[in-house]
């Protein structure tokens, strides 16, 4: 326990950030995020936008899998639902893009409710497999519901516009996506300060006891699916405005595994974990690219090995973290924090 | 050709494919029964088995039967390494974590195969012959018929082994209660290793058959997903379930693929899965888990 | 095996019951009637035609040898099992088929035989969780943590701190993860969580099982305080006969799924059938003698 952090009110003790170093670091982070585009070139801005999208979706999956204990391997499919919704709305209505994003999230949430139905009868691995099934069925719908999804050729998305500015540059998109994602992460953090978040965790830890304590499993399992898919839907909507074309192959099955890997590597059941994991897992393939490009100076055809190496590293990270650090990067960060609390008084 | 004859041929082809599904599902069930691990990497082990055969038969030019033996042994070796190195450290962890480890393993295997052999699809050297077989008037592809026969023999062998061999009894004891089996002097870690070795060897064998029918590519591991559906439908811990579930899914996929169109295959499979989960979550022959407070 | 029936002198249980009946604040305490409840699992009859009632504001103990059906009865009352026959009434209302979360809303709370705390949460969050059914925050409030959600959480925190944490003397552990606590403290946190539900009837499943004497006495004191200060009706399953005889107003004895005796603690103690259930058949007088001897030695 920390000393010197006494509080005078319950409100102060229940705040999200309870110590002044925490508040300082958060302020630094926010300022850095606000100023980052001044320092980043176009390629890194592109990556920053992608990271932002993935953080939003991974945080959603973390609510469902990390906090509620319902394993889903279908997050990418829910993103696809959001992306298609946004693409269709953009093409056929003149609604502002923020409305489209919210509707995209809402439609994904409704689909999530349906996909979540098996969670009332089965759990654990069976549920995970049901979500696999659901994502393949959704893929089938995207390919075959020609009149809406335009089949395999997909839908082109016109750029979003805000205050008359077309959001085509990565700088513009950055300033739209990052605040949206930040709000979503804040919302998730708030959720776990209230009865709803507690109910989710209770279901994860002991579902049957939770029911006897007054938590309706039906309502909260489905709610968790809906919230998680809403996050995926909004993230998918951002994805659509980012890449500006949505096809059935935009959201492959491996992308769902990517999100599960992100929250495992980051740390399941902590908000920080979802964020850090998504950042890390999005950037690792890029770091590998630099490594391989450097290798080409020695082995000229190392480039062909890039894709397989990414696949191998992806799997190895999942295995490595599960075996060596099951609580993920978030736990490593906490450990570093604890170290510096005592530093330099401890060897 | 009459509709009925065509229907029979489609069904027979479905049974052949189903037998392969059963064989792969058997690898799932074997590992699940002994270790309570759902090994999602089974599909990738199938793929690896096919590539090993390719390497031995086409790469080194060994005779087919030597290549078959070596690839099956290779599959078993991979199983032993995976169990000892990655699964055993996870003993006692949350089953979901172990499941995710197997997903990671799958990814690593795919990456390695792509690194070694590239991503483009290849054909295996022909060793099963091509002359079609006729059952009455119905045409059956020779490869599929052989796959069916081999699967049937192997599965029958397993059933006998499970019933009568001492190791099989130890395996069943471990399946019903790990701690109790351990305290009765059964070498539970040994059983784990054996289950993984046999399971992965079986999967590698299934891979050779599958590859010789449809060619090989690093993406052929998705076959594992169909096999996963089979074990859910049949019951995760039931050998009979794997057998019957495999044939059922094989036949349904063949019907859907022929009469509705190829793209309906996977939807049919997963549709059956969802229906099964809603109606009988623990499968046709699976053990129901009882909830306790 | 369960502890033998102890014949330790009990302090005026009958008068307490009387006091409770007269002085119970109307509306706060609740009555419970179990009538002809039968429950079977396959061929095993766990409960056969069980009837008893729990007076408002009293402490009723449900005792019996292992496997007598006590926990099954508890699970029927808290809604986890649905009995095949019979009715369970709460303040006169039939609740036999009521959904467990709904029971929580109308005033049921329980603790569990094998501690059922949520390991991923701190003590404070575990206790707060108990209040769940009485809170109103919806998902939009929760995201914003503004207005209602924040207000409700602050009220909850104050209530939990000032009414429960102080009362149960667990101030020092409020921010600890529950997994780090000793068994006795975990049991106390479970009681705290049940109290956070603002129960009108509290079901305690073996509240002192596995505790040492000091912890048992603390727990007994808390249970009595809950009854006296809040007038909560309490039904408990317990093997510790010393404690049962000390604090309960009414005792119901189950054996092989049937009620074999009920009444005031000392009445039950003298009951030959009860002695037989616990000790096996024999001459009641001789058994009584034996127990007396054992009690005086101890």
């Amino acid at each position: 326990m920390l000393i010197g952090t006494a509080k005078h009110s319950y409100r102060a003790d229940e705040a999200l950030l309870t110590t002044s170093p925490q508040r300082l670091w958060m302020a630094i982070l926010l300022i850095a995020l606000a100023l980052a585009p001044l320092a980043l070139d176009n390629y890194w801005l592109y990556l920053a936008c992608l990271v932002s999208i993935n953080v939003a979706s991974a945080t959603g999956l973390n609510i469902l899998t990390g906090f509620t204990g319902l394993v889903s391997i279908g997050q990418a499919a829910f993103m696809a639902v959001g992306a298609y919704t946004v693409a269709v709305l953009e093409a056929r209505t003149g609604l502002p893009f923020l409305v489209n994003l919210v509707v995209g999230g809402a439609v994904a949430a409704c689909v999530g409710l349906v996909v979540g139905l098996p969670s009332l009868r089965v759990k654990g691995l069976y549920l995970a497999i049901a979500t696999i099934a659901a994502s393949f069925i959704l893929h089938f719908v995207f390919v075959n519901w020609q009149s809406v999804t335009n089949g395999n050729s997909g839908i082109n998305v016109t750029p979003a516009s805000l205050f008359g500015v077309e959001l085509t540059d990565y700088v513009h998109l950055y300033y739209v996506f990052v605040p949206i994602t930040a709000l979503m992460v804040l919302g998730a953090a708030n959720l776990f300060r209230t009865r709803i978040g507690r109910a989710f965790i209770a279901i994860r830890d002991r579902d049957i006891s939770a029911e006897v304590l007054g938590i309706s499993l039906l309502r909260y399992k489905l709610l968790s699916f809906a919230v998680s898919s809403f996050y995926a839907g909004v993230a998918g909507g951002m994805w659509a405005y980012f890449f500006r074309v949505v096809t059935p192959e935009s959201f492959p099955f491996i992308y769902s595994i990517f999100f599960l890997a992100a929250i495992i590597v980051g740390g399941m059941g902590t908000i920080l974990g979802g964020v850090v994991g998504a950042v890390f897992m999005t950037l690792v393939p890029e770091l590998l690219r630099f490594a391989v490009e450097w290798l080409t100076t020695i082995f000229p055809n190392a480039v062909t090995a890039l894709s397989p190496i990414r696949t191998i590293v992806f799997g190895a990270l999942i295995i490595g973290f599960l075996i060596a650090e099951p609580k993920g990067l978030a736990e490593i960060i906490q450990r570093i924090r604890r170290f510096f609390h005592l530093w330099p008084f401890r060897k | 050709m009459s509709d009925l004859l065509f229907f029979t041929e489609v069904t027979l082809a479905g049974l052949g494919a189903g037998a392969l599904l059963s064989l792969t599902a058997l690898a799932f069930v074997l590992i699940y029964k002994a270790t309570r691990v759902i090994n999602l990497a089974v599909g990738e082990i199938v793929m690896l088995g096919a590539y090993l055969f390719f390497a031995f038969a086409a790469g080194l030019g060994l005779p087919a039967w030597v290549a078959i033996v070596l690839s099956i042994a290779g599959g078993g070796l991979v199983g032993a390494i995976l169990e000892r190195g990655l699964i055993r450290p996870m003993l006692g962890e949350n089953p979901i974590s172990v499941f995710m480890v197997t997903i990671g393993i799958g990814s690593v295997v795919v990456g390695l195969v792509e690194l070694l052999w590239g991503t483009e699809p290849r054909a295996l050297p022909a060793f099963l012959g091509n002359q079609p077989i006729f059952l009455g008037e119905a045409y059956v592809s020779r490869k599929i018929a052989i796959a069916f026969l081999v699967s049937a023999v192997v599965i029958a062998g397993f059933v006998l082994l499970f019933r009568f061999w001492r190791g099989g009894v130890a395996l069943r004891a471990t399946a019903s209660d790990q701690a109790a089996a351990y305290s009765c002097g059964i070498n539970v870690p040994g059983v784990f290793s054996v289950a993984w070795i046999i399971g992965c060897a079986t999967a590698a064998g299934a891979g050779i058959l599958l590859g010789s029918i449809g060619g090989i590519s690093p993406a052929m591991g998705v076959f594992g997903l169909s096999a996963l559906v089979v074990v859910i439908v049949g019951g995760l811990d039931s050998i009979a379930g794997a057998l019957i579930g495999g044939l059922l899914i094989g036949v349904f996929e063949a019907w859907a693929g022929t009469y509705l169109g190829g793209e309906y295959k996977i939807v049919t499979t997963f549709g059956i899965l969802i229906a099964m989960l809603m109606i009988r979550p623990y499968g046709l022959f699976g053990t129901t888990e009882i909830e306790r407070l | 095996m369960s502890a033998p029936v102890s014949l330790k002198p009990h302090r005026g249980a009958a008068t307490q019951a009387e006091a409770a009946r007269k002085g119970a604040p109307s509306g706060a305490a609740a009555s419970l009637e179990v009538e002809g409840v039968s429950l079977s699992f396959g061929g095993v009859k766990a409960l056969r035609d069980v009837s008893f009632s729990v007076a408002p504001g009293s402490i009723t103990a449900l005792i019996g040898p292992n496997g007598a059906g006590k926990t099954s009865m508890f699970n029927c009352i808290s809604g986890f099992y649905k009995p095949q026959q019979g009715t369970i009434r709460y303040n006169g209302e039939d609740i036999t088929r009521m959904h467990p979360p709904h029971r929580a809303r109308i005033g049921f709370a329980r603790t569990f035989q094998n501690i059922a705390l949520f390991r991923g949460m701190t003590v404070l969050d575990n206790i707060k969780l108990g209040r769940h059914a009485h809170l109103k925050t919806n998902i939009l409030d929760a995201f914003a943590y503004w207005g209602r959600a924040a207000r409700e959480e602050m009220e909850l925190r104050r209530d939990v701190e000032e009414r429960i944490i102080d009362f149960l003397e667990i101030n020092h552990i409020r921010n600890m993860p529950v997994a780090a606590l000793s068994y006795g403290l975990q049991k106390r946190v479970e009681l705290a969580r049940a109290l956070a539900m603002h129960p009108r009837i509290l079901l305690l499943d073996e509240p002192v099982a596995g505790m040492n004497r000091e912890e048992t006495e603390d727990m007994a004191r808390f249970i009595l305080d809950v009854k006296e200060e809040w007038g909560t009706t309490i039904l408990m399953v317990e093997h510790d006969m010393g404690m049962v005889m000390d604090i309960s107003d009414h005792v119901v004895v189950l054996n092989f799924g049937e009620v074999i005796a009920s009444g005031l603690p000392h009445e039950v103690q003298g009951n030959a059938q009860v002695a037989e259930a616990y000790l096996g058949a024999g001459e009641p007088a001789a058994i009584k003698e034996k127990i007396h001897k054992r009690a005086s030695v101890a």
Side-chain angles (χ1 to χ4, degrees):
Chain A
M1 192 156 77
L2 287 179
I3 56 164
T5 57
K7 302 291 183 309
H8 295 288
S9 71
Y10 294 134
R11 181 170 287 272
D13 198 40
E14 297 264 333
L16 273 177
L17 304 173
T18 50
T19 66
S20 34
Q22 275 178 354
R23 282 189 284 268
L24 180 67
W25 281 113
M26 185 53 80
I28 292 174
L29 174 69
L30 290 179
I31 292 170
L33 282 176
L35 300 180
L38 302 178
L40 298 181
D41 65 17
N42 221 25
Y43 171 71
W44 283 100
L45 278 173
Y46 158 86
L47 275 183
C49 291
L50 196 58
V51 164
S52 170
I53 293 168
N54 287 342
V55 166
S57 189
T59 301
L61 183 65
N62 207 1
I63 292 174
L64 180 67
T65 301
F67 285 99
T68 320
L70 303 171
V71 180
S72 158
I73 318 186
Q75 192 72 352
F78 297 131
M79 280 180 80
V81 172
Y84 269 108
T85 307
V86 164
V88 170
L89 287 177
E90 190 65 42
R92 302 187 184 186
T93 68
L95 289 171
F97 88 103
L98 281 175
V99 174
N100 290 347
L101 282 185
V102 173
V103 175
V107 172
C110 293
V111 176
L113 278 180
V114 177
V115 175
L117 282 176
S119 72
L120 305 175
R121 286 218 56 177
V122 297
K123 51 187 169 187
L125 302 163
Y126 288 91
L127 179 63
I129 291 158
T131 60
I132 296 180
S135 51
F136 278 96
I137 290 171
L138 280 172
H139 180 264
F140 175 80
V141 172
F142 299 142
V143 174
N144 289 286
W145 196 9
Q146 292 275 353
S147 59
V148 174
T149 64
N150 199 21
N152 275 319
S153 25
I155 309 176
N156 287 312
V157 183
T158 50
S161 66
L162 192 66
F163 308 125
V165 182
E166 279 215 334
L167 304 177
T168 45
D169 287 352
Y170 290 140
V171 186
H172 295 149
L173 287 168
Y174 177 93
Y175 279 119
V176 175
F177 288 176
V178 171
I180 291 177
T181 299
L183 277 181
M184 288 165 79
V185 172
L186 176 67
N190 279 337
L191 190 62
F192 291 96
R193 301 159 79 190
T194 68
R195 70 166 191 151
I196 295 172
R198 285 193 295 270
F200 286 167
I201 299 175
I203 290 174
R204 176 192 70 193
D205 287 355
R206 286 172 180 271
D207 52 354
I208 301 165
S209 313
E211 187 165 36
V212 174
L213 290 166
I215 293 161
S216 161
L217 295 186
L218 169 87
R219 178 175 307 168
Y220 283 94
K221 281 183 173 178
L222 291 184
L223 182 63
S224 186
F225 258 101
V227 171
S228 166
S229 328
F230 179 85
Y231 273 62
V234 174
M238 292 195 281
W239 197 99
Y241 283 121
F242 187 59
F243 289 102
R244 302 244 303 277
V245 60
V246 182
T247 73
E249 303 315 316
S250 301
F251 300 93
F253 179 58
I254 188 78
Y255 201 21
S256 290
I257 295 180
F258 168 88
F259 287 113
L260 207 47
I263 61 170
I264 288 173
V265 168
M268 286 212 245
T270 61
I271 295 292
L272 179 67
V275 176
V276 179
V279 174
F280 184 76
M281 292 304 277
T282 313
L283 294 183
V284 161
E286 301 307 317
L287 298 178
L288 287 176
R289 178 214 298 274
F290 289 126
V292 168
E293 273 169 11
W294 178 79
L295 271 182
T296 47
T297 55
I298 309 167
F299 307 105
N301 50 2
V303 180
T304 53
L306 178 60
S307 163
I309 287 178
R310 281 178 175 170
T311 314
I312 294 170
V313 170
F314 177 72
L317 280 173
I318 299 179
I319 301 171
F321 269 93
L322 280 168
I323 291 180
E325 189 60 75
K327 288 182 176 171
L329 289 168
E331 179 65 20
I332 296 178
I333 292 173
Q334 295 296 340
R335 214 176 292 143
I336 294 171
R337 248 183 79 190
R338 280 196 292 275
F339 175 79
F340 279 105
H341 272 308
L342 300 173
W343 188 83
F345 300 110
R346 203 178 95 180
K347 279 180 209 159
Chain B
M1 183 163 46
S2 78
D3 286 346
L4 186 64
L5 182 63
F6 183 62
F7 177 77
T8 315
E9 284 178 352
V10 169
T11 308
L12 284 174
L15 283 175
L20 270 182
L21 278 173
S22 295
L23 195 59
T24 313
L26 191 70
F28 263 114
V29 171
L30 206 61
I31 290 172
Y32 180 79
K33 250 178 121 75
T35 64
R36 301 281 136 182
V37 171
I38 294 206
N39 178 12
L40 214 65
V42 158
E44 277 68 34
I45 304 292
V46 166
M47 186 259 298
L48 185 66
Y51 269 94
L52 285 177
F53 177 79
F54 176 78
F56 290 128
L60 301 178
L62 297 174
W65 67 270
V66 179
I68 290 174
V69 171
L70 284 179
S71 348
I72 291 177
L77 182 68
V78 169
I81 294 169
L82 291 180
E83 194 278 331
R84 198 69 193 83
L86 302 177
I87 301 299
R88 206 174 297 173
M90 299 293 291
L91 204 64
E93 292 280 334
N94 175 358
I96 305 284
S97 306
V98 191
F99 170 75
M100 285 304 300
V101 167
T102 66
I103 289 185
I105 292 172
S107 181
V108 172
V109 171
V110 170
L112 285 175
V113 166
E114 286 182 356
L115 202 58
L116 291 173
W117 288 288
T119 51
E120 64 276 22
R122 294 164 191 268
L124 284 186
F127 64 100
L128 296 175
N130 265 328
Q131 308 95 304
I133 294 174
F134 285 92
L135 283 180
E137 283 180 64
Y139 158 86
V140 187
S141 141
R142 182 184 182 86
K143 287 172 179 171
I144 288 183
I146 291 177
F148 183 86
L149 284 178
V150 172
S151 302
V153 169
V154 172
I155 291 169
F158 272 120
V159 172
L160 293 178
L161 216 59
F162 242 54
R163 279 231 85 76
F164 299 113
W165 175 48
R166 259 184 76 228
V169 177
L171 213 151
R172 278 192 290 156
T174 309
S176 75
D177 189 334
Q178 284 178 7
Y182 206 34
S183 55
C184 290
I186 287 171
N187 178 2
V188 171
V191 170
F192 278 27
S193 288
V194 170
W196 272 79
I197 291 169
I198 300 180
C200 289
T202 310
I208 301 172
L209 291 172
L210 186 69
S212 65
I213 293 171
I216 59 175
S217 82
M220 70 192 266
V222 289
F223 184 74
L225 282 180
S226 294
L228 186 64
V229 175
V230 167
V231 287
I232 298 288
V233 170
L236 267 177
D237 54 359
S238 160
I239 289 191
L243 185 64
I244 295 170
L247 296 180
L248 271 179
I249 298 286
V251 169
F252 273 110
E253 275 195 355
W255 287 342
T258 311
Y259 293 105
L260 298 173
E263 72 269 28
Y264 283 86
K265 249 180 160 173
I266 202 147
V267 181
T268 313
T269 316
F270 284 114
I272 295 173
L273 172 71
I274 298 253
M276 200 65 197
L277 284 175
M278 298 305 281
I279 301 162
R280 259 186 90 93
Y282 297 102
L284 291 170
F285 304 98
T287 316
T288 311
E289 281 166 33
I290 297 164
E291 298 271 12
R292 282 187 188 282
L293 205 56
Chain C
M1 223 358 248
S2 49
V5 180
S6 120
L7 294 185
K8 241 169 67 186
H10 49 88
R11 47 158 219 257
T15 49
Q16 265 178 28
E18 217 121 282
R21 239 167 270 138
K22 281 179 199 154
S26 59
S31 69
L32 187 75
E33 284 117 43
V34 174
E35 214 178 276
V37 164
S38 299
L39 175 76
S40 51
F41 301 102
V44 184
K45 286 208 164 67
L47 296 170
R48 283 182 245 204
D49 196 20
V50 173
S51 300
F52 63 88
S53 63
V54 179
S58 73
I59 297 181
T60 301
L62 196 57
I63 64 169
N66 285 336
K70 305 179 298 289
T71 297
S72 296
M73 190 65 240
F74 248 52
N75 285 340
C76 286
I77 295 173
S78 59
F80 182 58
Y81 295 155
K82 305 267 180 283
Q84 281 95 7
Q85 277 162 30
T87 48
I88 299 170
R89 269 194 290 276
Y90 170 80
N91 283 343
E93 182 191 357
D94 184 351
I95 57 153
T96 320
R97 317 240 148 240
M98 188 183 277
H99 200 47
H102 192 180
R103 286 175 210 242
R105 268 199 298 285
I106 62 171
F108 276 78
R110 77 169 282 182
T111 64
F112 298 85
Q113 185 179 346
N114 312 314
I115 296 171
L117 291 171
F118 301 103
R119 300 175 58 86
M121 288 192 244
T122 62
V123 169
L124 191 58
D125 277 342
N126 263 283
I127 301 174
K128 282 178 178 175
L129 184 98
R131 198 86 187 97
H132 180 89
H134 300 277
L135 301 178
K136 298 199 168 51
T137 301
N138 66 29
I139 186 80
L140 292 178
D141 297 336
F143 277 131
Y145 199 75
W146 201 263
R148 176 156 73 180
R151 207 166 50 239
E152 206 172 60
E153 285 299 316
M154 286 314 125
E155 277 165 22
L156 171 62
R157 178 74 190 268
R158 169 159 300 142
D159 179 70
V160 165
E161 287 285 348
E162 291 166 13
R163 204 178 57 100
I164 295 165
I165 291 191
D166 282 353
F167 169 63
L168 291 177
E169 297 158 18
I170 46 179
N171 298 290
H172 56 301
I173 54 166
R174 67 159 79 76
N175 286 323
M176 295 202 353
V178 288
L181 301 178
S182 72
Y183 184 79
L185 277 178
Q186 291 196 10
K187 283 261 180 196
R188 210 186 287 181
V189 174
E190 259 213 322
L191 177 63
R193 186 177 63 188
L195 290 178
M197 298 172 80
H198 284 209
R200 298 171 68 192
I201 182 160
L202 182 57
L203 310 173
L204 304 173
D205 198 348
E206 304 204 11
V208 301
M211 287 191 179
N212 64 29
R213 176 161 293 250
E214 199 180 325
E215 289 169 328
T216 303
E217 279 168 9
D218 280 347
M219 185 57 86
R221 178 165 56 85
F222 289 132
I223 294 172
L224 276 176
D225 284 351
V226 168
K227 176 185 107 161
E228 274 155 23
E229 287 177 24
W230 298 336
T232 308
T233 308
I234 293 168
L235 175 64
M236 67 174 179
V237 163
E238 187 46 66
H239 277 299
D240 185 322
M241 286 308 148
M243 175 173 137
V244 167
M245 294 303 154
D246 272 356
I247 70 170
S248 43
D249 305 314
H250 187 81
V251 177
V252 177
V253 189
L254 280 179
N255 192 28
F256 291 114
E258 285 174 309
V259 177
I260 57 167
S262 73
L264 300 175
H266 68 271
E267 294 171 2
V268 170
Q269 262 176 337
N271 185 308
Q273 257 188 302
V274 176
E276 193 183 313
Y278 273 94
L279 301 169
E283 187 60 40
I287 292 170
K288 227 170 165 183
E289 189 100 322
K290 213 160 64 186
I291 302 165
H292 267 295
K293 242 181 240 160
R294 202 179 291 171
S296 57
V297 169

